Amino acid sequence: MTQKLLLFPLLLVLMSFTLKADDKPAYRLFTAAGKATSYDKMLKELATADVVFFGEQHNDPIAHWLELQLAKDLLRLKQGQLVLGLEMFERDVQPLVDQYTTGELDDKAFEEQSRPWPNYATDYKPLLQLARQQKFRVVGTNVPRRYASQVAKGSLTALEALPALEKAWIAPLPMTVDFELPGYKNMAKMFGGDAAHAAGVQNIIQAQALKDATMAHFLNQARPEGHLLLHFNGAYHSDNHDGILAYLRQQNPKLKTLTISTVSQEQLGKLEKEHERKADFVLVIPEDMTKTY
């Protein structure tokens, strides 16, 4: 009998080890310094911020699922004092976003008129449905893409002739672009450095800066005092506390901001050196994870 009692705890340990060895995690979380952390620890820290930037890879299903969980949990911890900001909707369709989340507009009408991204139904619709159910505000923060396209072709001067109504959908003009920001310098390197196309590259960087500045401007406006604004955007817009954050610091330097960046790695056991310091928290996804498109 005694021998059986001794064997039982041993079997439990062996079973536990076997389960752990066979585990196939879909993601791992790390701090900026590369230390493994848990979702719960990250959640508690994020709840202390004024603005949280979740930098996603747009076709990653794990990041989209975690965004939904984070929105639900922060809504609970902040007792409803949450605003959701989305790069995926542009400023000129904000009235439609408002009408949908308040229940005035049905799915069909909203999706026909609001120019949703192709992966809206799988990746972003659950967030808007949550806002509709729980009655919190969603703000589309991005510049209408047609203006970014104009800047990419002809620099920021292309916006000077816009009527006042349309200028209300973009960051206040004139705006300054700091080409020395790390993210913009990296963009310049990606396109190469010969003088023949330097002006064209500068225009592309100005278009990126227009998006960053516009998102910073409108998310800052959208956050009531005491609320947490949770912003979803492509990781490049917030990596290294750059991009949107650079413009937000100019407008409101007292805000406490925290960031998440989504990266892919072959192994999940350790954060690779190149991803350290990319964000306050780094979400690591397996390289062979399935994609939404």
Side-chain angles (χ1 to χ4, degrees):
M1 183 71 177
T2 306
Q3 190 176 12
K4 287 182 179 178
L5 288 172
L6 288 170
L7 282 171
F8 185 66
L10 181 61
L11 285 170
L12 286 177
V13 170
L14 288 171
M15 286 172 65
S16 173
F17 177 78
T18 303
L19 288 170
K20 189 174 180 182
D22 292 341
D23 191 22
K24 290 281 188 183
Y27 75 90
R28 283 282 188 260
L29 287 167
F30 295 88
T31 65
K35 183 181 177 182
T37 191
S38 67
Y39 175 82
D40 193 49
K41 285 181 180 176
M42 179 183 76
L43 174 65
K44 286 175 181 174
E45 188 166 343
L46 296 180
T48 69
D50 297 314
V51 184
V52 171
F53 292 89
F54 194 130
E56 64 172 45
Q57 302 301 324
H58 296 315
N59 61 356
D60 181 77
I62 298 299
H64 293 306
W65 171 78
L66 206 62
E67 286 171 348
L68 182 61
Q69 307 314 307
L70 192 59
K72 290 177 180 178
D73 289 335
L74 286 174
L75 185 68
R76 171 177 52 82
L77 289 179
K78 297 297 291 183
Q79 299 181 328
Q81 292 189 316
L82 181 76
V83 178
L84 199 62
L86 297 176
E87 173 196 0
M88 301 79 199
F89 287 98
E90 298 160 18
R91 287 306 304 159
D92 57 336
V93 301
Q94 184 62 45
L96 299 174
V97 174
D98 290 336
Q99 288 166 30
Y100 179 76
T101 54
T102 56
E104 299 169 56
L105 208 59
D106 64 20
D107 288 318
K108 186 173 184 293
F110 176 68
E111 290 167 32
E112 284 176 350
Q113 300 174 57
S114 62
R115 304 193 302 274
W117 287 14
N119 57 326
Y120 166 76
T122 54
D123 299 343
Y124 306 113
K125 186 173 182 176
L127 292 166
L128 269 74
Q129 288 178 321
L130 177 67
R132 186 169 173 139
Q133 291 162 5
Q134 299 297 323
K135 304 189 186 310
F136 63 92
R137 190 160 188 236
V138 177
V139 179
T141 58
N142 209 353
V143 67
R145 67 195 73 174
R146 58 189 178 274
Y147 302 134
S149 178
Q150 288 174 29
V151 171
K153 293 172 184 174
S155 85
L156 284 165
T157 58
L159 304 178
E160 291 173 2
L162 289 178
L165 176 64
E166 294 180 50
K167 284 181 179 176
W169 297 328
I170 62 179
L173 297 173
M175 58 170 281
T176 303
V177 179
D178 182 358
F179 292 97
E180 294 304 306
L181 286 175
Y184 299 159
K185 286 177 80 170
N186 285 338
M187 286 182 71
K189 284 179 189 174
M190 283 191 282
F191 286 100
D194 63 85
H197 67 288
V201 172
Q202 285 209 344
N203 289 349
I204 292 169
I205 293 171
Q206 286 183 48
Q208 178 82 357
L210 177 66
K211 294 177 183 180
D212 290 337
T214 298
M215 286 190 271
H217 176 70
F218 288 106
L219 73 84
N220 185 47
Q221 278 193 348
R223 178 190 163 271
E225 189 66 32
H227 283 56
L228 189 156
L229 192 142
L230 175 60
H231 194 266
F232 296 135
N233 51 264
Y236 202 84
H237 287 290
S238 54
D239 277 355
N240 306 304
H241 293 83
D242 201 357
I244 306 171
L245 282 88
Y247 284 97
L248 186 59
R249 282 192 295 272
Q250 292 176 22
Q251 296 171 37
N252 199 340
K254 293 182 180 179
L255 287 176
K256 179 179 179 180
T257 59
L258 290 172
T259 59
I260 303 168
S261 183
T262 307
V263 303
S264 296
Q265 291 185 180
E266 188 176 344
Q267 55 78 32
L268 302 190
K270 183 181 178 183
L271 186 65
E272 293 173 5
K273 203 76 178 170
E274 65 179 296
H275 300 313
E276 288 183 8
R277 310 293 171 189
K278 191 169 274 190
D280 295 297
F281 296 95
V282 183
L283 168 64
V284 181
I285 309 294
E287 279 184 355
D288 60 355
M289 176 59 64
T290 54
K291 307 298 182 188
T292 56
Y293 62 89

